[in-house]
Amino acid sequence: MKSILSSLFALSLLSLSSAHAQCHFPAIFNFGDSNSDTGGLSAAFGQAGPPHGSSFFGSPAGRYCDGRLVIDFIAESLGLPYLSAFLDSVGSNFSHGANFATAGSPIRALNSTLRQSGFSPFSLDVQFVQFSNFHNRSQTVRSRGGVYTTMLPEADSFSQALYTFDIGQNDLTAAYFANKTVEQIGTTDVPEIISQFKNAVTYIYAQGGRYFWIHNTGPIGCLAYVIEWFPLKASDFDSHGCVSPLNHLAQQFNDALKQAVIELRASLSEAAITYVDVYSAKHELFVHAQGHGFKRSLVACCGHGGKYNYNKNIGCGKKVTVRGKEIYIGKPCDEPDKAVIWDGVHFTQAANKFIFDKIAAGLRMACHRQ
């Protein structure tokens, strides 16, 4: 039955592709958190040091990962350069878009600082303001000619670009870390968070954005940093070692997000909005890791100690000096390409490639109203 459904899905994609021309996007404007941050938080608060970036870039590249993120694979597939972080003033080129995501960003602004809570002050409303300023100022500066024409996007790029979103995870975990129950978060917080998300998309549409690619959130109950935060009962865990109530919360958020996308399609008459189910791809990795060539799923590749090789006080890349010599305590595993989770919070490059491969077909149709 599964193979028959897969064949039918492939045939439906083929028929859609033959009915519509393949999409071309000259630029990407991304909004999100650490799942798609290509250097924003590093530019604002200090570089994510080694061994981040070691599997692909050879050195830290602003990503909380050993290599590329899903957004990097999206850029590659569209024939575009990797996105420069809007906040990064060194070596950036914005001719094919900009990345407004920063690690720790929520949709809804939090009444705390980065050092107090670990969450970024660059919430989605702030990212929109940054985009709006960039939209206007980039064209003013580009009109000066010269080198600016090679570093800033053309005016038409804003209406033809793909607007990508991967955000919401931090809203759920922030509420959970604040001792709210899963029921409280689902009933009270999620509707407000989704409302603010809809506002952001509507504002971007008003500025000319037409093509939206919206990721849902992943199974947060499978991430070590969430599992380890509070003591949990054995009955909270499913057969794969993930926390069922937290994964159900993520699914509740995703159901609300999917409904919001339906409403946005109805209200934004010229928009093509794609709802992207990364939850299923990520959950598949945790449930059937070995079947996809991975050796470890819940256990972090880079970290220190405990059941999950994760300690919030000894993060990936943590060093200490012993007898005048620096040594890693939060050190990486020997085979990051065989691990799903990089540091107890984020996915490895290999996992990100798996996730991208599961959603890539939709990019061919992302400029068409569904």
Side-chain angles (χ1 to χ4, degrees):
M1 176 61 73
K2 185 176 180 182
S3 61
I4 294 173
L5 289 174
S6 298
S7 299
L8 288 173
F9 179 67
L11 285 171
S12 66
L13 280 178
L14 183 62
S15 62
L16 282 169
S17 297
S18 60
H20 299 283
Q22 186 165 322
C23 300
H24 169 72
F25 301 104
I28 300 170
F29 295 102
N30 183 66
F31 304 82
D33 53 31
S34 56
N35 289 309
S36 61
D37 181 2
T38 57
L41 197 76
S42 289
F45 293 102
Q47 185 66 240
H52 296 300
S54 56
S55 293
F56 181 79
F57 299 100
S59 61
R63 294 154 174 82
Y64 290 87
C65 179
D66 62 310
R68 289 164 290 181
L69 310 175
V70 173
I71 190 66
D72 293 314
F73 291 114
I74 290 174
E76 285 183 4
S77 73
L78 297 178
L80 299 175
Y82 298 134
L83 288 183
S84 292
F86 169 76
L87 294 173
D88 193 353
S89 60
V90 180
S92 291
N93 187 308
F94 301 112
S95 58
H96 295 284
N99 194 351
F100 301 91
T102 65
S105 285
I107 293 172
R108 182 176 59 176
L110 300 174
N111 188 25
S112 66
T113 67
L114 179 72
R115 289 177 175 82
Q116 287 173 327
S117 66
F119 294 102
S120 170
F122 301 108
S123 50
L124 185 56
D125 59 328
V126 176
Q127 292 181 27
F128 167 72
V129 170
Q130 292 172 335
F131 164 74
S132 181
N133 288 337
F134 177 82
H135 187 183
N136 295 326
R137 294 185 62 224
S138 65
Q139 297 312 292
T140 300
V141 175
R142 197 176 192 278
S143 67
R144 298 173 186 170
V147 69
Y148 297 115
T149 61
T150 67
M151 299 180 70
L152 295 168
E154 297 178 2
D156 289 346
S157 293
F158 290 92
S159 61
Q160 299 170 6
L162 184 64
Y163 290 82
T164 54
F165 296 81
D166 194 325
I167 194 167
Q169 176 176 319
N170 290 312
D171 293 272
L172 302 183
T173 56
Y176 177 66
F177 296 164
N179 286 306
K180 291 186 178 182
T181 66
V182 168
E183 291 73 21
Q184 285 175 319
I185 300 168
T187 302
T188 305
D189 293 74
V190 167
E192 183 183 339
I193 293 164
I194 294 298
S195 176
Q196 293 195 20
F197 180 84
K198 287 177 64 180
N199 288 342
V201 174
T202 302
Y203 296 155
I204 292 170
Y205 180 85
Q207 293 221 357
R210 290 297 180 265
Y211 309 116
F212 300 89
W213 177 266
I214 299 171
H215 290 191
N216 64 11
T217 202
I220 58 175
C222 299
L223 300 174
Y225 86 107
V226 182
I227 297 173
E228 293 272 87
W229 195 267
F230 291 125
L232 295 162
K233 304 186 300 290
S235 60
D236 289 329
F237 292 88
D238 63 21
S239 59
H240 308 290
C242 299
V243 182
S244 295
L246 292 173
N247 280 351
H248 291 155
L249 174 62
Q251 290 172 316
Q252 185 174 353
F253 172 88
N254 291 341
D255 289 343
L257 180 65
K258 191 171 186 178
Q259 180 59 35
V261 167
I262 293 171
E263 293 169 5
L264 286 166
R265 286 173 180 157
S267 62
L268 308 180
S269 61
E270 297 179 10
I273 309 175
T274 306
Y275 173 87
V276 186
D277 184 17
V278 296
Y279 180 99
S280 294
K282 292 178 177 181
H283 192 258
E284 170 67 16
L285 271 180
F286 288 119
V287 173
H288 299 119
Q290 292 187 348
H292 297 294
F294 293 87
K295 293 181 179 179
R296 54 168 86 192
S297 55
L298 302 180
V299 178
C301 169
C302 185
H304 178 82
K307 181 178 179 180
Y308 305 101
N309 193 36
Y310 173 80
N311 184 320
K312 65 181 179 181
N313 298 313
I314 305 174
C316 177
K318 176 75 172 180
K319 294 179 180 179
V320 296
T321 302
V322 177
R323 296 174 185 172
K325 183 179 179 181
E326 273 194 335
I327 60 170
Y328 273 125
I329 295 182
K331 59 184 179 180
C333 61
D334 293 332
E335 296 180 299
D337 60 325
K338 301 298 182 185
V340 173
I341 293 298
W342 170 237
D343 56 1
V345 184
H346 309 101
F347 289 79
T348 60
Q349 173 179 258
N352 286 327
K353 180 61 165 64
F354 176 90
I355 296 161
F356 169 75
D357 288 342
K358 291 292 184 183
I359 64 175
L363 285 167
R364 298 198 302 267
M365 304 302 298
C367 62
H368 301 291
R369 286 177 55 81
Q370 301 299 310

